[in-house]
Amino acid sequence: MKISADELEPLFDALPDVVFFVKDTQGRYTHANLTLVRRLGLKHRSDIIGKDVTELFPTTMGGSYAAQDRRVLTGELIENQLEVHIFNNRAPGWCLTCKRPLISRGEVRGVIGISRDLGQPDGRHPTYDRLRRVLAHMQEHYADNVRVHTLATLAGLSVAQLERHFRRVFQLTPQQVLTKVRIESAMRLLGGEDSIAAIGMACGFVDQSAFARQFKATVGMTPSAYRTMVMAER
């Protein structure tokens, strides 16, 4: 039995922490749940349908999302991509994005995907206290070369156990949590006067190029574009 996007759309309307969308091969929205409508500061689904991301999101972010969609249209799967989404009220929110090609009769007809808000850690999990120590270590040493083996030893777990428990408690891998800590620090520092190269080094990136690549992949814009946006709002 096949379920159409028309039937999925109202189901996803009931999930306020999940964005659901379908786009055609030109990157134009054909379906979007009400969560996306509201987060874009719009009132009606019709305000989105037929438009592409460059018309709905800030220019640099829209271009980044469009490039991501083009990769999916060539057959690439995007699974649990850690991202910061910034909407019309400029409030940032962390989410995990999944996109896949929409295939019909053997041909790629578009993109279907979801972005799920990152929830609160599961504080009731038996390993939570040990993992909280690991998180505290990351938050203190994110500027350093943090190794997963070191984190596993700190928690008294194997690397495989650490990965599994991190996914269960934080919904992220240890590396994704470290990236989140580093990017959050970089976003704060970009509101100041330090150079972008200095901020990248202070946040644990090996060079400015690596910092720019990771920041754009996560935030949807370059560090310089993000700084410009922040400064313009002051």
Side-chain angles (χ1 to χ4, degrees), residues 3 16 21 26 48 55 58 66 72 88 94 113 119 124-125 127 134-135 142 145 153 157 171 174 187 215 227 229:
I3 301 175
F21 53 85
Q26 301 302 310
I48 292 179
E55 298 175 271
V72 176
N88 272 11
W94 287 94
R124 296 173 298 177
H125 194 272
T127 62
V134 173
L135 178 60
Y142 63 85
N145 182 18
T153 300
L157 300 168
Q171 304 118 56
M187 292 171 74
F215 194 92
R227 167 170 274 175
M229 184 186 76

Side-chain angles (χ1 to χ4, degrees), residues 191-206:
E193 298 181 355
D194 290 343
S195 71
I196 290 175
I199 291 172
M201 293 295 290
C203 294
F205 295 94
V206 294

